[in-house]
Amino acid sequence: VKTAPGVKNEVWVGLGSDGLYRSVDAGKTFMKFTDVQEAFLFGFGKYAPGFKNPVVFLLGKVNNESGIFRSNDMGKTWVKIDDRENKMGNEPHCLE
């Protein structure tokens, strides 16, 4: 469970093989990201140029493809940022 830095009432929860969820009302209700099938680790990073929200990083499965992903638009779209030659270690414990 993490709050998005600098975004009021924004709460995110990664539930492993149950995916990724987002609340915009301080945890009263949650919405599941339907394109995220697995969310083992996630974290927030510095705002991308031109955006007013933090970047989201995810280790999991998006659109049936496993890997490390980045979203500049709070999970509306995801870009895979790893490849076969550049994978994360065997059992990562944080993604910040």
Side-chain angles (χ1 to χ4, degrees), residues 2-13:
K2 295 182 184 196
T3 59
V7 184
K8 186 177 180 180
N9 296 324
E10 192 81 26
V11 181
W12 291 50
V13 179

Side-chain angles (χ1 to χ4, degrees), residues 27-78:
K28 292 177 186 166
T29 61
F30 283 87
M31 181 235 13
K32 184 179 196 286
F33 288 94
T34 56
D35 54 348
V36 178
Q37 292 84 38
E38 297 175 345
F40 296 111
L41 294 174
F42 73 96
F44 295 100
K46 183 179 176 181
Y47 293 22
F51 288 85
K52 296 182 179 182
N53 55 263
V55 171
V56 184
F57 294 98
L58 170 75
L59 171 64
K61 185 185 285 187
V62 175
N63 294 319
N64 298 311
E65 185 174 11
S66 295
I68 303 171
F69 299 86
R70 180 192 74 234
S71 176
N72 291 343
D73 55 13
M74 299 300 276
K76 291 178 187 168
T77 59
W78 297 93

